Amino acid sequence: METRILNFNEFGDDRGCLISLESMKNIPFEIERVYYIYKTKSEVTRGYHAHRDLKQVAIALSGSCTFVLDDGLSRNEVILDDPTKGLLICSMIWREMKLFSDDCILLVLANHNYNEEDYIRDYSSFLKEVRNICN
Ligand code: TYD
């Protein structure tokens, strides 16, 4: 599955902690867009889409949330609850995000600007497209 956890180097001292994110260094693509999701209600599940051509790294800067990741063959869940860890999600992975804590701030870095045409928002269409690529 084209997803994995990235571990970031933390600079910490008695003042607190700092993490730096840089394109093609600890982020394995050129960052073109940054967005963040916050104040998500705990009962809400969002996402429900895949991207045809997009790499993203998601980091829970504060609090926690759970990603459901599906490559068309298998599904697994990843809990993000640590700002030193990023979840790399490559193209053609269906994702759902749930169980947001009240204090969750989810930062997302992406290698392309927002483009609605890159989204697959229907699960059965996703399965058809992903199976065509794999066959
Ligand atoms: P949406 O795709 O529904 O979010 P999620 O995948 O987290 O459920 O996006 C919510 C709205 O924000 C939608 O109107 C599209 C808009 N949006 C942008 O304008 N730019 C962006 O970079 C993103 C991610 C969303």
Side-chain angles (χ1 to χ4, degrees):
M1 192 183 263
E2 290 284 276
T3 62
R4 69 189 149 89
I5 294 289
L6 308 176
N7 291 296
F8 303 128
N9 192 20
E10 182 184 67
F11 299 95
D13 56 33
D14 51 12
R15 297 169 301 169
C17 302
L18 183 153
I19 289 174
S20 163
L21 303 173
E22 294 190 47
S23 295
M24 304 309 293
K25 290 191 175 167
N26 52 358
I27 299 298
F29 52 74
E30 294 289 345
I31 302 163
E32 195 164 275
R33 175 166 54 111
V34 176
Y35 62 93
Y36 39 97
I37 295 172
Y38 58 105
K39 291 188 186 171
T40 309
K41 298 191 171 64
S42 57
E43 70 278 11
V44 162
T45 302
R46 47 189 310 164
Y48 293 103
H49 65 256
H51 289 280
R52 295 187 175 89
D53 177 24
L54 190 70
K55 291 178 187 157
Q56 293 183 300
V57 171
I59 306 158
L61 295 185
S62 151
S64 62
C65 67
T66 298
F67 272 74
V68 178
L69 300 163
D70 182 333
D71 63 359
L73 294 172
S74 63
R75 231 165 219 247
N76 69 305
E77 294 199 355
V78 176
I79 298 171
L80 283 186
D81 60 359
D82 180 344
T84 70
K85 293 187 189 308
L87 174 63
L88 173 68
I89 309 174
C90 292
S91 303
M92 295 307 285
I93 301 289
W94 183 266
R95 87 285 314 267
E96 297 164 17
M97 295 98 85
K98 63 182 185 182
L99 302 176
F100 285 82
S101 63
D102 286 345
D103 59 345
C104 183
I105 300 175
L106 184 67
L107 179 74
V108 185
L109 313 175
N111 72 329
H112 292 309
N113 288 333
Y114 177 73
N115 172 16
E116 186 56 40
E117 289 180 6
D118 183 59
Y119 280 71
I120 307 170
R121 291 193 182 271
D122 172 66
Y123 186 67
S124 54
S125 305
F126 163 70
L127 286 181
K128 266 188 218 154
E129 284 196 38
V130 81
R131 282 169 188 167
N132 276 344
I133 292 169
C134 294
N135 290 333

